[in-house]
Amino acid sequence: MFDDIQRNFLMNPRSGLRVRPFRQAHISRHTDKELVKLSKYLRDIANDCDDFTKLNHRRWQHYDHRKHR
């Protein structure tokens, strides 16, 4: 699950990943890179990890797949 509201993960705390909110879409849609970064992160962990729930996703934007191989 991906969401920008922390409380939405209460029932499944290890199965969610918090992303930044997408605000002012009419202004920021051309510069927003959150989904681009998220897709890279998901590809990297798909290659490095067998269990999504075992990772700490708090700093997912700074994940370095080279350290986890």
Side-chain angles (χ1 to χ4, degrees), residues 34-50:
E34 191 79 354
L35 291 180
V36 172
K37 293 176 186 175
L38 178 59
S39 65
K40 181 187 178 321
Y41 173 69
L42 293 174
R43 281 192 308 271
D44 288 346
I45 66 170
N47 294 324
D48 298 342
C49 181
D50 294 330

Side-chain angles (χ1 to χ4, degrees), residues 8 13 15 22 24 34 36 46 62-64 69:
N8 290 340
S15 297
F22 186 56
Q24 299 180 1
E34 191 79 354
V36 172
H62 305 287
Y63 182 81
D64 184 353
R69 293 211 165 193

